[in-house]
Amino acid sequence: MAEIKIRNLHKEFGTGADKVVALEDVNLDMGGHVFVSIVGPSGCGKSTLLNILSGIETPTSGSLEITQSGHKAAPGYVFQAARLLPWRTVMDNLLFVQQDKSDETRARCQKYLEMVQLGDKGDKFPGELSGGMQQRVGIARAFSIEPDVLFMDEPFSHLDAITARSLRRELHTMWADTGKTIIFVTHDVGEAVELSNRILVFAQGGRLEDDITVDLDFPRDAADEEVAIAKASVLRKFEEFDLLAT
Ligand SMILES: Nc1ncnc2c1ncn2[C@@H]1O[C@H](COP(=O)(O)OP(=O)(O)OP(=O)(O)O)[C@@H](O)[C@H]1O
Ligand SMILES: [Mg+2]
């Protein structure tokens, strides 16, 4: 299982009067079979942190280690939009990110398409699928490389509430079955409480304000009283920090 060690991570964009501090001196340890959600208001550095973890951005200063049994861990990503290649079939979109195209690899891709209920859609092109189905292909693609750690940046925010709910359940089952480390950005506190063992609350200026453990059994339903109480308590902290930021 993956271990993530972040030390004094700092990220600035621009210089002089245009300077923006996106992350301020972040220190964090995450790892094991954990589902971590990162929440906070728009512009508080959530995507920047994920992009640095994914290697898309480099930090201004500080250090970052993502390891698996002492070696560099293999990451997978799911972003807000599925980012599929429209001229390739669903199966070819999954095969495109694999190291080989063997029968074994193809069978693995098929297994993950089945996990997101799209086992019969391998021959379709992305344009023939709904937005929710495309997002599921994106999730199957990320799982199909069997990464040690999966980074997800608001993967369900463009979807309708019912599709998002069923995808959350599928994702959670896959997390439980595969034992991955998942780091999940959302600004939906309810989604974070439903899915995670741990919630990191960021505030404007990229400060990590709180690190909350959510110790409730899975599966969780938004209608459960304990889940509603946990959500209200995170939202209260959210309000506090928003007030502090103004
Ligand atoms: N490439 C960039 N160039 C300049 N500034 C940037 C860049 N990327 C992010 N920023 C700034 O860094 C800050 C953090 O942005 P980030 O995208 O990480 O926020 P976020 O928490 O993901 O917000 P949202 O919830 O709206 O997605 C913001 O002030 C943003 O304007
Ligand atoms: Mg973002």
Side-chain angles (χ1 to χ4, degrees):
M1 279 182 275
E3 297 296 330
I4 299 169
K5 196 191 275 190
I6 296 172
R7 292 291 176 269
N8 308 107
L9 197 72
H10 193 83
K11 177 67 180 177
E12 290 175 3
F13 290 105
T15 51
D18 293 332
K19 189 172 94 174
V20 172
V21 176
L23 290 173
E24 191 184 307
D25 201 26
V26 176
N27 286 284
L28 263 176
D29 288 282
M30 303 182 272
H33 182 209
V34 68
F35 198 121
V36 181
S37 283
I38 299 174
V39 301
S42 183
C44 71
K46 304 182 295 295
S47 294
T48 302
L49 177 61
L50 215 73
N51 290 342
I52 291 175
L53 287 166
S54 316
I56 298 168
E57 294 274 7
T58 50
T60 306
S61 60
S63 70
L64 171 74
E65 259 178 37
I66 310 175
T67 54
Q68 166 92 359
S69 314
H71 298 103
K72 201 169 183 296
Y77 321 101
V78 180
F79 298 99
Q80 264 182 318
R83 300 191 189 178
L84 304 176
L85 301 172
W87 59 89
R88 286 178 188 265
T89 63
V90 164
M91 177 55 89
D92 283 345
N93 265 278
L94 266 65
L95 287 172
F96 185 70
V97 297
Q98 311 298 323
Q99 295 198 330
D100 67 75
K101 313 277 183 270
S102 64
D103 288 351
E104 197 184 311
T105 299
R106 191 174 276 272
R108 190 175 66 235
C109 292
Q110 180 63 27
K111 178 181 90 177
Y112 285 104
L113 282 177
E114 281 163 17
M115 278 176 105
V116 294
Q117 321 291 329
L118 292 175
D120 59 344
K121 297 286 190 279
D123 294 337
K124 299 280 185 204
F125 287 92
E128 298 177 277
L129 304 180
S130 70
M133 288 172 171
Q134 290 183 32
Q135 198 61 358
R136 270 142 71 188
V137 175
I139 292 168
R141 181 178 59 184
F143 271 88
S144 70
I145 58 166
E146 306 206 318
D148 303 317
V149 53
L150 194 57
F151 298 112
M152 309 182 84
D153 193 354
E154 306 209 34
F156 308 142
S157 62
H158 285 339
L159 304 175
D160 67 87
I162 294 167
T163 307
R165 188 163 184 242
S166 82
L167 280 186
R168 253 178 241 135
R169 290 190 173 161
E170 279 167 25
L171 174 66
H172 210 271
T173 306
M174 286 165 81
W175 171 75
D177 290 351
T178 57
K180 304 273 172 230
T181 307
I182 295 186
I183 315 294
F184 186 95
V185 167
T186 177
H187 46 234
D188 180 338
V189 172
E191 180 172 60
V193 170
E194 229 175 284
L195 291 172
S196 343
N197 322 94
R198 189 173 172 194
I199 300 180
L200 304 173
V201 182
F202 276 78
Q204 291 297 355
R207 279 175 296 124
L208 173 58
E209 287 286 3
D210 211 342
D211 187 340
I212 302 165
T213 301
V214 185
D215 196 8
L216 299 174
D217 290 343
F218 292 111
R220 298 175 188 165
D221 193 293
D224 292 347
E225 196 184 343
E226 285 176 310
V227 173
I229 291 170
K231 181 180 170 186
S233 107
V234 178
L235 277 172
R236 259 197 307 279
K237 297 193 180 204
F238 222 81
E239 282 170 3
E240 260 173 50
F241 301 142
D242 262 355
L243 287 175
L244 287 174
T246 53

